[in-house]
Amino acid sequence: AQSVTQPDIHITVSEGASLELRCNYSYGATPYLFWYVQSPGQGLQLLLKYFSGDTLVQGIKGFEAEFKRSQSSFNLRKPSVHWSDAAEYFCAGGANFGNEKLTFGTGTRLTIIP
Amino acid sequence: DAMVIQNPRYQVTQFGKPVTLSCSQTLNHNVMYWYQQKSSQAPKLLFHYYDKDFNNEADTPDNFQSRRPNTSFCFLDIRSPGLGDAAMYLCATSRDRGTSGYEQYFGPGTRLTVT
């Protein structure tokens, strides 16, 4: 079965420090992969997406993610976090052409400390 | 700016009293989705429309219904809300199934409280 796993429920990072949020996927073929961010009481905002091609993907707000087929991972990174990055982050995957549904991971809550 | 709009942002209803949540989009996307999200959980897909084709998830209770009268609007009807239906309801859209991919664009959500 298709699945997306986010191993970390909660991560705390100091402001200005680097960040990496983990995401692993299980699909029969290379999936489409996404990272979304959700601030409290808000909808989900797309940070970045991977369909094919270059495995290092740049997104909004200074985020990037790297697709690693050998590790079935799509980890999200940011070199220096800001207090405004505190939010819930969801990794999501979609099967190949012909299926418009996404499978979401359980999310990682990011806390930023001064 | 093109966007996904949800009204109202906050809705309070009584136990058993029907309620309708609204979603509209200016993106002209073919696909519209309704998700239920409870506190500290991932969004759970209830159903989606591909154009006029309705696709229900197998575990969506019959209490939840949806209508899509045209491309721009989609409604979520909860016929007899229970306390367990209190949640954030998210509407999303995506362009198509095409090879360019189908990232979903989300509205701000409607927070439903059942008293």
Side-chain angles (χ1 to χ4, degrees):
Chain A
Q2 300 165 347
S3 68
V4 173
T5 303
Q6 293 180 248
D8 304 306
I9 296 173
H10 184 205
I11 283 184
T12 300
V13 176
S14 298
E15 190 169 14
S18 64
L19 170 70
E20 183 167 27
L21 301 182
R22 297 185 290 164
C23 173
N24 295 100
Y25 66 88
S26 175
Y27 278 79
T30 300
Y32 297 135
L33 294 164
F34 308 86
W35 275 100
Y36 285 89
V37 61
Q38 185 178 34
S39 297
Q42 301 296 317
L44 278 69
Q45 181 182 21
L46 180 67
L47 285 175
L48 47 76
K49 60 189 179 187
Y50 173 78
F51 293 153
S52 64
D54 193 347
T55 57
L56 184 62
V57 180
Q58 301 298 320
I60 63 171
K61 304 186 179 190
F63 286 93
E64 66 178 26
E66 186 170 12
F67 173 73
K68 292 186 177 180
R69 186 189 306 274
S70 61
Q71 298 177 19
S72 297
S73 70
F74 187 57
N75 294 348
L76 182 70
R77 301 194 295 246
K78 187 170 185 179
S80 176
V81 297
H82 186 262
W83 64 267
S84 60
D85 293 324
E88 188 88 19
Y89 290 79
F90 291 97
C91 182
N96 287 332
F97 180 84
N99 185 341
E100 61 272 17
K101 297 197 293 186
L102 293 181
T103 298
F104 283 88
T106 51
T108 298
R109 182 161 62 93
L110 176 64
T111 297
I112 308 295
I113 56 176
Chain B
D1 287 341
M3 55 175 46
V4 181
I5 302 162
Q6 290 188 245
N7 287 305
R9 292 294 311 279
Y10 301 91
Q11 176 74 58
V12 180
T13 190
Q14 294 177 339
F15 182 94
K17 185 176 181 180
V19 65
T20 294
L21 308 183
S22 169
C23 177
S24 64
Q25 54 130 339
T26 60
L27 297 159
N28 202 32
H29 283 174
N30 295 92
V31 194
M32 294 188 77
Y33 308 79
W34 279 106
Y35 289 88
Q36 179 192 64
Q37 186 181 28
K38 296 191 175 180
S39 182
S40 301
Q41 296 184 18
K44 178 181 181 296
L45 182 64
L46 296 173
F47 25 60
H48 73 282
Y49 277 93
Y50 182 82
D51 290 329
K52 294 186 177 182
D53 293 335
F54 178 69
N55 299 268
N56 198 28
E57 294 301 297
D59 58 353
T60 297
D62 293 340
N63 197 29
F64 292 85
Q65 304 286 320
S66 185
R67 297 169 283 134
R68 189 180 185 185
N70 54 51
T71 300
S72 301
F73 284 87
C74 195
F75 300 98
L76 170 62
D77 301 307
I78 308 177
R79 293 192 298 186
S80 182
L83 297 179
D85 296 327
M88 175 76 88
Y89 289 88
L90 296 167
C91 175
T93 72
S94 68
R95 189 171 60 193
D96 210 330
R97 293 177 176 138
T99 54
S100 59
Y102 40 82
E103 65 263 34
Q104 294 184 17
Y105 295 87
F106 284 79
T110 295
R111 170 73 65 188
L112 179 67
T113 300
V114 182
T115 61

PDB file of all heavy atoms in Angstrom, chain B residues 53-74:
ATOM      1  N   ASP B  53     -17.877  14.333 -11.673  1.00  0.00           N
ATOM      2  CA  ASP B  53     -17.812  12.967 -11.144  1.00  0.00           C
ATOM      3  C   ASP B  53     -17.481  12.987  -9.663  1.00  0.00           C
ATOM      4  O   ASP B  53     -16.428  13.476  -9.263  1.00  0.00           O
ATOM      5  CB  ASP B  53     -16.753  12.162 -11.891  1.00  0.00           C
ATOM      6  CG  ASP B  53     -17.123  11.909 -13.323  1.00  0.00           C
ATOM      7  OD1 ASP B  53     -18.334  11.914 -13.633  1.00  0.00           O
ATOM      8  OD2 ASP B  53     -16.199  11.711 -14.130  1.00  0.00           O
ATOM      9  N   PHE B  54     -18.382  12.416  -8.882  1.00  0.00           N
ATOM     10  CA  PHE B  54     -18.227  12.398  -7.428  1.00  0.00           C
ATOM     11  C   PHE B  54     -17.501  11.122  -7.019  1.00  0.00           C
ATOM     12  O   PHE B  54     -17.846  10.024  -7.461  1.00  0.00           O
ATOM     13  CB  PHE B  54     -19.598  12.459  -6.769  1.00  0.00           C
ATOM     14  CG  PHE B  54     -19.563  12.397  -5.277  1.00  0.00           C
ATOM     15  CD1 PHE B  54     -19.056  13.453  -4.545  1.00  0.00           C
ATOM     16  CD2 PHE B  54     -20.038  11.280  -4.606  1.00  0.00           C
ATOM     17  CE1 PHE B  54     -19.032  13.401  -3.156  1.00  0.00           C
ATOM     18  CE2 PHE B  54     -20.024  11.224  -3.222  1.00  0.00           C
ATOM     19  CZ  PHE B  54     -19.512  12.284  -2.493  1.00  0.00           C
ATOM     20  N   ASN B  55     -16.485  11.268  -6.153  1.00  0.00           N
ATOM     21  CA  ASN B  55     -15.699  10.138  -5.679  1.00  0.00           C
ATOM     22  C   ASN B  55     -15.698  10.148  -4.153  1.00  0.00           C
ATOM     23  O   ASN B  55     -15.061  10.996  -3.530  1.00  0.00           O
ATOM     24  CB  ASN B  55     -14.264  10.249  -6.195  1.00  0.00           C
ATOM     25  CG  ASN B  55     -14.200  10.225  -7.707  1.00  0.00           C
ATOM     26  OD1 ASN B  55     -14.055   9.175  -8.314  1.00  0.00           O
ATOM     27  ND2 ASN B  55     -14.321  11.394  -8.326  1.00  0.00           N
ATOM     28  N   ASN B  56     -16.397   9.191  -3.601  1.00  0.00           N
ATOM     29  CA  ASN B  56     -16.528   9.111  -2.151  1.00  0.00           C
ATOM     30  C   ASN B  56     -15.464   8.178  -1.593  1.00  0.00           C
ATOM     31  O   ASN B  56     -15.170   7.136  -2.191  1.00  0.00           O
ATOM     32  CB  ASN B  56     -17.924   8.584  -1.808  1.00  0.00           C
ATOM     33  CG  ASN B  56     -18.317   8.871  -0.387  1.00  0.00           C
ATOM     34  OD1 ASN B  56     -17.869   9.838   0.210  1.00  0.00           O
ATOM     35  ND2 ASN B  56     -19.158   8.015   0.169  1.00  0.00           N
ATOM     36  N   GLU B  57     -14.876   8.537  -0.458  1.00  0.00           N
ATOM     37  CA  GLU B  57     -13.966   7.614   0.209  1.00  0.00           C
ATOM     38  C   GLU B  57     -14.787   6.537   0.922  1.00  0.00           C
ATOM     39  O   GLU B  57     -15.881   6.801   1.433  1.00  0.00           O
ATOM     40  CB  GLU B  57     -13.092   8.350   1.221  1.00  0.00           C
ATOM     41  CG  GLU B  57     -12.121   9.329   0.569  1.00  0.00           C
ATOM     42  CD  GLU B  57     -11.181   8.659  -0.416  1.00  0.00           C
ATOM     43  OE1 GLU B  57     -10.388   7.793   0.003  1.00  0.00           O
ATOM     44  OE2 GLU B  57     -11.253   9.005  -1.613  1.00  0.00           O
ATOM     45  N   ALA B  58     -14.238   5.353   0.960  1.00  0.00           N
ATOM     46  CA  ALA B  58     -14.985   4.213   1.484  1.00  0.00           C
ATOM     47  C   ALA B  58     -15.399   4.395   2.943  1.00  0.00           C
ATOM     48  O   ALA B  58     -16.447   3.909   3.373  1.00  0.00           O
ATOM     49  CB  ALA B  58     -14.158   2.939   1.331  1.00  0.00           C
ATOM     50  N   ASP B  59     -14.583   5.106   3.708  1.00  0.00           N
ATOM     51  CA  ASP B  59     -14.874   5.239   5.139  1.00  0.00           C
ATOM     52  C   ASP B  59     -15.537   6.568   5.504  1.00  0.00           C
ATOM     53  O   ASP B  59     -15.626   6.905   6.678  1.00  0.00           O
ATOM     54  CB  ASP B  59     -13.592   5.044   5.950  1.00  0.00           C
ATOM     55  CG  ASP B  59     -12.500   6.029   5.571  1.00  0.00           C
ATOM     56  OD1 ASP B  59     -12.690   6.786   4.592  1.00  0.00           O
ATOM     57  OD2 ASP B  59     -11.458   6.035   6.233  1.00  0.00           O
ATOM     58  N   THR B  60     -16.006   7.296   4.523  1.00  0.00           N
ATOM     59  CA  THR B  60     -16.720   8.548   4.811  1.00  0.00           C
ATOM     60  C   THR B  60     -18.147   8.222   5.246  1.00  0.00           C
ATOM     61  O   THR B  60     -18.870   7.544   4.512  1.00  0.00           O
ATOM     62  CB  THR B  60     -16.743   9.455   3.584  1.00  0.00           C
ATOM     63  OG1 THR B  60     -15.408   9.820   3.239  1.00  0.00           O
ATOM     64  CG2 THR B  60     -17.550  10.724   3.849  1.00  0.00           C
ATOM     65  N   PRO B  61     -18.551   8.685   6.418  1.00  0.00           N
ATOM     66  CA  PRO B  61     -19.908   8.374   6.892  1.00  0.00           C
ATOM     67  C   PRO B  61     -20.976   8.954   5.971  1.00  0.00           C
ATOM     68  O   PRO B  61     -20.781  10.003   5.359  1.00  0.00           O
ATOM     69  CB  PRO B  61     -19.952   9.043   8.273  1.00  0.00           C
ATOM     70  CG  PRO B  61     -18.532   9.217   8.681  1.00  0.00           C
ATOM     71  CD  PRO B  61     -17.769   9.448   7.416  1.00  0.00           C
ATOM     72  N   ASP B  62     -22.121   8.280   5.933  1.00  0.00           N
ATOM     73  CA  ASP B  62     -23.238   8.730   5.103  1.00  0.00           C
ATOM     74  C   ASP B  62     -23.766  10.095   5.532  1.00  0.00           C
ATOM     75  O   ASP B  62     -24.465  10.768   4.768  1.00  0.00           O
ATOM     76  CB  ASP B  62     -24.384   7.713   5.170  1.00  0.00           C
ATOM     77  CG  ASP B  62     -24.014   6.404   4.519  1.00  0.00           C
ATOM     78  OD1 ASP B  62     -23.070   6.404   3.699  1.00  0.00           O
ATOM     79  OD2 ASP B  62     -24.660   5.383   4.815  1.00  0.00           O
ATOM     80  N   ASN B  63     -23.456  10.469   6.726  1.00  0.00           N
ATOM     81  CA  ASN B  63     -23.852  11.763   7.281  1.00  0.00           C
ATOM     82  C   ASN B  63     -23.265  12.936   6.500  1.00  0.00           C
ATOM     83  O   ASN B  63     -23.741  14.054   6.564  1.00  0.00           O
ATOM     84  CB  ASN B  63     -23.369  11.799   8.746  1.00  0.00           C
ATOM     85  CG  ASN B  63     -24.035  12.852   9.553  1.00  0.00           C
ATOM     86  OD1 ASN B  63     -25.168  13.219   9.280  1.00  0.00           O
ATOM     87  ND2 ASN B  63     -23.332  13.338  10.566  1.00  0.00           N
ATOM     88  N   PHE B  64     -22.206  12.659   5.747  1.00  0.00           N
ATOM     89  CA  PHE B  64     -21.526  13.690   4.975  1.00  0.00           C
ATOM     90  C   PHE B  64     -21.922  13.568   3.514  1.00  0.00           C
ATOM     91  O   PHE B  64     -21.816  12.494   2.920  1.00  0.00           O
ATOM     92  CB  PHE B  64     -20.005  13.558   5.109  1.00  0.00           C
ATOM     93  CG  PHE B  64     -19.473  13.873   6.471  1.00  0.00           C
ATOM     94  CD1 PHE B  64     -19.439  12.903   7.449  1.00  0.00           C
ATOM     95  CD2 PHE B  64     -19.012  15.146   6.769  1.00  0.00           C
ATOM     96  CE1 PHE B  64     -18.953  13.192   8.712  1.00  0.00           C
ATOM     97  CE2 PHE B  64     -18.518  15.438   8.027  1.00  0.00           C
ATOM     98  CZ  PHE B  64     -18.489  14.464   9.003  1.00  0.00           C
ATOM     99  N   GLN B  65     -22.370  14.695   2.952  1.00  0.00           N
ATOM    100  CA  GLN B  65     -22.749  14.740   1.552  1.00  0.00           C
ATOM    101  C   GLN B  65     -22.071  15.942   0.908  1.00  0.00           C
ATOM    102  O   GLN B  65     -21.599  16.856   1.602  1.00  0.00           O
ATOM    103  CB  GLN B  65     -24.272  14.874   1.413  1.00  0.00           C
ATOM    104  CG  GLN B  65     -25.065  13.785   2.125  1.00  0.00           C
ATOM    105  CD  GLN B  65     -25.007  12.467   1.393  1.00  0.00           C
ATOM    106  OE1 GLN B  65     -25.072  12.430   0.170  1.00  0.00           O
ATOM    107  NE2 GLN B  65     -24.873  11.369   2.140  1.00  0.00           N
ATOM    108  N   SER B  66     -22.061  15.943  -0.415  1.00  0.00           N
ATOM    109  CA  SER B  66     -21.438  17.064  -1.101  1.00  0.00           C
ATOM    110  C   SER B  66     -22.191  17.382  -2.379  1.00  0.00           C
ATOM    111  O   SER B  66     -22.867  16.513  -2.951  1.00  0.00           O
ATOM    112  CB  SER B  66     -19.975  16.747  -1.412  1.00  0.00           C
ATOM    113  OG  SER B  66     -19.322  17.877  -1.969  1.00  0.00           O
ATOM    114  N   ARG B  67     -22.094  18.617  -2.777  1.00  0.00           N
ATOM    115  CA  ARG B  67     -22.690  19.083  -4.030  1.00  0.00           C
ATOM    116  C   ARG B  67     -21.694  19.968  -4.749  1.00  0.00           C
ATOM    117  O   ARG B  67     -20.970  20.736  -4.111  1.00  0.00           O
ATOM    118  CB  ARG B  67     -23.967  19.921  -3.745  1.00  0.00           C
ATOM    119  CG  ARG B  67     -25.084  19.171  -3.076  1.00  0.00           C
ATOM    120  CD  ARG B  67     -26.160  20.146  -2.617  1.00  0.00           C
ATOM    121  NE  ARG B  67     -25.798  20.863  -1.402  1.00  0.00           N
ATOM    122  CZ  ARG B  67     -25.956  22.175  -1.237  1.00  0.00           C
ATOM    123  NH1 ARG B  67     -26.418  22.930  -2.224  1.00  0.00           N
ATOM    124  NH2 ARG B  67     -25.630  22.753  -0.097  1.00  0.00           N
ATOM    125  N   ARG B  68     -21.686  19.849  -6.068  1.00  0.00           N
ATOM    126  CA  ARG B  68     -20.854  20.746  -6.872  1.00  0.00           C
ATOM    127  C   ARG B  68     -21.710  21.249  -8.030  1.00  0.00           C
ATOM    128  O   ARG B  68     -21.736  20.642  -9.100  1.00  0.00           O
ATOM    129  CB  ARG B  68     -19.598  20.050  -7.391  1.00  0.00           C
ATOM    130  CG  ARG B  68     -18.625  21.053  -8.031  1.00  0.00           C
ATOM    131  CD  ARG B  68     -17.364  20.374  -8.546  1.00  0.00           C
ATOM    132  NE  ARG B  68     -16.418  21.370  -9.033  1.00  0.00           N
ATOM    133  CZ  ARG B  68     -15.264  21.070  -9.631  1.00  0.00           C
ATOM    134  NH1 ARG B  68     -14.925  19.801  -9.815  1.00  0.00           N
ATOM    135  NH2 ARG B  68     -14.463  22.027 -10.048  1.00  0.00           N
ATOM    136  N   PRO B  69     -22.397  22.352  -7.832  1.00  0.00           N
ATOM    137  CA  PRO B  69     -23.328  22.845  -8.852  1.00  0.00           C
ATOM    138  C   PRO B  69     -22.640  23.383 -10.102  1.00  0.00           C
ATOM    139  O   PRO B  69     -23.248  23.392 -11.180  1.00  0.00           O
ATOM    140  CB  PRO B  69     -24.092  23.965  -8.127  1.00  0.00           C
ATOM    141  CG  PRO B  69     -23.179  24.391  -7.017  1.00  0.00           C
ATOM    142  CD  PRO B  69     -22.409  23.178  -6.623  1.00  0.00           C
ATOM    143  N   ASN B  70     -21.416  23.832  -9.970  1.00  0.00           N
ATOM    144  CA  ASN B  70     -20.648  24.321 -11.124  1.00  0.00           C
ATOM    145  C   ASN B  70     -19.159  24.202 -10.817  1.00  0.00           C
ATOM    146  O   ASN B  70     -18.778  23.757  -9.725  1.00  0.00           O
ATOM    147  CB  ASN B  70     -21.032  25.761 -11.464  1.00  0.00           C
ATOM    148  CG  ASN B  70     -20.920  26.694 -10.286  1.00  0.00           C
ATOM    149  OD1 ASN B  70     -19.877  26.731  -9.626  1.00  0.00           O
ATOM    150  ND2 ASN B  70     -21.981  27.434  -9.997  1.00  0.00           N
ATOM    151  N   THR B  71     -18.310  24.605 -11.751  1.00  0.00           N
ATOM    152  CA  THR B  71     -16.867  24.450 -11.580  1.00  0.00           C
ATOM    153  C   THR B  71     -16.355  25.194 -10.363  1.00  0.00           C
ATOM    154  O   THR B  71     -15.432  24.746  -9.689  1.00  0.00           O
ATOM    155  CB  THR B  71     -16.145  24.963 -12.838  1.00  0.00           C
ATOM    156  OG1 THR B  71     -16.568  24.210 -13.958  1.00  0.00           O
ATOM    157  CG2 THR B  71     -14.632  24.844 -12.689  1.00  0.00           C
ATOM    158  N   SER B  72     -16.943  26.331 -10.059  1.00  0.00           N
ATOM    159  CA  SER B  72     -16.377  27.213  -9.044  1.00  0.00           C
ATOM    160  C   SER B  72     -16.774  26.874  -7.616  1.00  0.00           C
ATOM    161  O   SER B  72     -16.058  27.215  -6.685  1.00  0.00           O
ATOM    162  CB  SER B  72     -16.795  28.664  -9.337  1.00  0.00           C
ATOM    163  OG  SER B  72     -16.346  29.066 -10.600  1.00  0.00           O
ATOM    164  N   PHE B  73     -17.911  26.227  -7.435  1.00  0.00           N
ATOM    165  CA  PHE B  73     -18.439  26.046  -6.084  1.00  0.00           C
ATOM    166  C   PHE B  73     -18.566  24.582  -5.710  1.00  0.00           C
ATOM    167  O   PHE B  73     -18.901  23.736  -6.543  1.00  0.00           O
ATOM    168  CB  PHE B  73     -19.828  26.705  -5.956  1.00  0.00           C
ATOM    169  CG  PHE B  73     -19.782  28.193  -5.852  1.00  0.00           C
ATOM    170  CD1 PHE B  73     -19.767  28.961  -7.000  1.00  0.00           C
ATOM    171  CD2 PHE B  73     -19.742  28.819  -4.618  1.00  0.00           C
ATOM    172  CE1 PHE B  73     -19.709  30.343  -6.920  1.00  0.00           C
ATOM    173  CE2 PHE B  73     -19.690  30.203  -4.533  1.00  0.00           C
ATOM    174  CZ  PHE B  73     -19.678  30.958  -5.688  1.00  0.00           C
ATOM    175  N   CYS B  74     -18.335  24.344  -4.415  1.00  0.00           N
ATOM    176  CA  CYS B  74     -18.544  23.005  -3.882  1.00  0.00           C
ATOM    177  C   CYS B  74     -19.020  23.156  -2.439  1.00  0.00           C
ATOM    178  O   CYS B  74     -18.527  24.036  -1.707  1.00  0.00           O
ATOM    179  CB  CYS B  74     -17.250  22.200  -3.937  1.00  0.00           C
ATOM    180  SG  CYS B  74     -17.470  20.425  -3.706  1.00  0.00           S
TER     181      CYS B  74
END
